[in-house]
Amino acid sequence: MREEGFVVLEQNYRVGHLEIDIIALEGDTLCFVEVKSRKDRASLDEVSSLLNPRKIRNIILASDSYCQRSHPFAYRRVRFDLALLFSPATGSPELTYIRDAFVPTV
């Protein structure tokens, strides 16, 4: 992510039992990133199975806590992303990065 211009602010951010894998800035956008790693590429194909409603709710709750503790209203935009890491037994790992993997609803 750093090579792509992101500024990583937090890794494995915890609030209570909730966790966000990576919190980063891309320009003036605050990004909350869920990382999923698998050895089987097929298990990464269905994003909806990786981000179920409970997981999304937990990410939103943790991100809300982070924003309140840091500088509220300091970010022009907030985004929820998904980083998919395919790590085969042989060969090089592959990363697929999905911006706006989900949009929170009220």
Side-chain angles (χ1 to χ4, degrees), residues 8-27:
V8 176
L9 303 174
E10 300 275 350
Q11 292 181 1
N12 302 316
Y13 173 79
R14 288 189 159 284
V15 55
H17 69 282
L18 307 174
E19 181 181 15
I20 297 176
D21 295 326
I22 298 172
I23 301 173
L25 282 173
E26 184 180 35

Side-chain angles (χ1 to χ4, degrees), residues 49-105:
S49 68
L50 298 172
L51 287 174
N52 62 49
R54 180 176 177 203
K55 183 64 177 175
I56 289 172
R57 183 180 141 282
N58 288 345
I59 293 169
I60 292 169
L61 290 171
S63 66
D64 184 54
S65 173
Y66 179 83
C67 287
Q68 289 180 26
R69 288 181 183 183
S70 64
H71 305 284
F73 311 110
Y75 311 105
R76 293 181 51 84
R77 182 164 144 55
V78 174
R79 191 175 71 210
F80 297 88
D81 299 347
L82 180 61
L84 306 173
L85 181 61
F86 169 58
S87 301
T90 59
S92 299
E94 298 172 28
L95 178 69
T96 301
Y97 195 85
I98 301 171
R99 287 170 173 79
D100 289 313
F102 70 89
V103 176
T105 56

Side-chain angles (χ1 to χ4, degrees), residues 37-50:
S37 178
R38 300 289 187 272
K39 292 182 180 172
D40 177 18
R41 183 188 313 274
S43 65
L44 293 176
D45 288 340
E46 187 58 45
V47 173
S48 62
S49 68
L50 298 172

